[in-house]
Amino acid sequence: MIALLTPEHWKDYELIDCGDFEKLERFGNVVLIRPEPQAVWSKQLPPSEWQNLADIRFQGRSATSGEWAKKNSKTPDRWHITYRNNDIEIKFRLALTSFKHVGIFPEQAVNWDFISNTIKAFHTSQPKVLNLFAYTGGASLVAKAAGADVTHVDSIKQVVSWANENQELSGLKDIRWVVEDALKFVKREIKRGKKYNGIILDPPAYGHGPNGEKWKLEDHILEMMNDVANLLDPEEHFMILNTYSLGFSSVIVENLIKDSIKNPQNLETGELYLQAKTGNKLPLGVFGKIRKVKN
């Protein structure tokens, strides 16, 4: 069965409506309108309601960048929100970037719940977790708050610094920060004989390492998965693969995991989505995950 999962614990986030290639969403007390290429259906609320509710709207200048238009100039460019579930509580600094992002992907809260729940279930004392393509560190913070020894890898120094800010906001410490190409880092860890109880992969469709290394999902993901399989602790582990590429289905993710990991336990694949208050579901990537806990 292919699972359809959406966050259930978000108090500081809400997808209000989506359609006509846009989404209306609340982060804390700030309501944004942002482009959404997958929202090909019609909006449920009238345009006047969108304009009435929104504090800020993103206006694209090109396919990759744009600017934010505020209804009120006093609306902040930066603000904080909280995420909590039954196991952990973490905080994020959000910001209006020129790339339409604000520093968080809220659908990932589904994976955060899986991470914290699994770490709490482990018998391993302070399990080691590796977060690859780790962005501003949501999964890293969750793993650390749940009791893991965490290594966070991303190729962009600025977002690693942002993740460190989120660590401080969350009252956490001692996450290991690594600014490096993820594939290179994994290969070096294999040579060092390292093992991890948890590995999280959230690769982009396209990307570049700090030294110009090129990443293309369909060209490199099998190599990455084969390498990651060598880093998983055989006794107790979890692994999450999340992809946003429009060309990838959960069946592809399932095949990748089965191809690279021998006898994957508790394999689950499916699609992440956000449930709009007005009724529509907004798809935001496919996932595959495995979990092995000692008896």
Side-chain angles (χ1 to χ4, degrees):
M1 292 289 293
I2 295 174
L4 294 175
L5 302 179
T6 191
E8 298 177 351
H9 299 288
W10 262 124
K11 303 298 183 186
D12 274 3
Y13 176 81
E14 179 182 33
L15 179 63
I16 301 169
D17 193 16
C18 54
D20 299 318
F21 304 100
E22 290 187 314
K23 55 189 172 185
L24 179 69
E25 51 192 344
R26 177 182 61 82
F27 292 89
N29 295 322
V30 181
V31 177
L32 307 177
I33 296 175
R34 294 195 290 167
E36 179 46 66
Q38 300 211 89
V40 300
W41 49 87
S42 300
K43 295 172 181 173
Q44 299 300 299
L45 296 176
S48 59
E49 185 72 4
W50 277 56
Q51 294 304 321
N52 181 54
L53 291 172
D55 298 300
I56 313 173
R57 184 181 202 129
F58 184 84
Q59 299 174 330
R61 289 194 307 264
S62 70
T64 57
S65 66
E67 56 192 13
W68 298 87
K70 296 181 181 180
K71 185 187 298 181
N72 186 332
S73 62
K74 294 182 179 179
T75 301
D77 288 339
R78 297 185 176 194
W79 69 104
H80 298 158
I81 65 170
T82 299
Y83 181 76
R84 64 174 62 89
N85 61 27
N86 295 330
D87 298 315
I88 57 91
E89 178 178 314
I90 56 176
K91 296 181 184 297
F92 297 91
R93 171 179 71 78
L94 302 189
L96 305 176
T97 75
S98 62
F99 306 105
K100 81 180 179 181
H101 300 304
V102 295
I104 197 170
F105 295 102
E107 71 279 358
Q108 289 302 310
V110 168
N111 288 330
W112 301 342
D113 292 346
F114 174 80
I115 292 166
S116 61
N117 176 270
T118 301
I119 290 171
K120 293 290 187 180
F122 276 167
H123 296 275
T124 303
S125 177
Q126 198 175 33
K128 296 183 181 299
V129 171
L130 174 61
N131 189 9
L132 299 167
F133 311 96
Y135 193 46
T136 57
S140 301
L141 300 177
V142 167
K144 187 67 182 181
D149 177 10
V150 180
T151 300
H152 172 114
V153 181
D154 198 281
S155 64
I156 302 174
K157 185 177 181 180
Q158 293 93 324
V159 297
V160 174
S161 297
W162 193 339
N164 191 25
E165 286 186 58
N166 289 334
Q167 176 184 233
E168 294 174 2
L169 269 177
S170 301
L172 301 170
K173 62 180 181 178
D174 297 332
I175 292 174
R176 181 189 177 200
W177 308 110
V178 180
V179 179
E180 190 170 356
D181 176 76
L183 193 55
K184 281 187 175 179
F185 179 82
V186 165
K187 290 183 182 301
R188 196 165 69 250
E189 291 292 88
I190 292 172
K191 290 181 179 179
R192 291 169 173 166
K194 294 292 184 69
K195 295 292 181 184
Y196 289 91
N197 302 100
I199 300 180
I200 304 147
L201 302 101
D202 197 2
Y206 302 95
H208 291 90
N211 297 312
E213 301 94 341
K214 291 184 179 180
W215 168 270
K216 188 175 181 182
L217 184 65
E218 58 265 38
D219 291 346
H220 296 107
I221 189 60
L222 180 58
E223 179 183 3
M224 173 64 88
M225 290 297 295
N226 286 333
D227 287 345
V228 160
N230 288 316
L231 290 179
L232 277 178
D233 184 294
E235 297 299 318
E236 193 164 51
H237 61 247
F238 73 85
M239 191 277 298
I240 300 172
L241 171 62
N242 192 84
T243 76
Y244 294 95
S245 174
L246 294 178
F248 265 51
S249 74
S250 58
V251 175
I252 291 176
V253 170
E254 178 182 356
N255 291 339
L256 276 169
I257 293 173
K258 288 181 175 179
D259 192 36
S260 56
I261 298 173
K262 186 177 181 181
N263 299 319
Q265 292 197 15
N266 300 301
L267 172 62
E268 182 181 12
T269 62
E271 193 163 353
L272 301 182
Y273 71 95
L274 292 174
Q275 177 66 60
K277 186 178 180 181
T278 52
N280 284 327
K281 295 179 173 66
L282 178 62
L284 287 165
V286 299
F287 73 90
K289 56 191 179 185
I290 61 172
R291 166 173 155 151
K292 181 180 180 181
V293 178
K294 292 178 183 176
N295 294 324

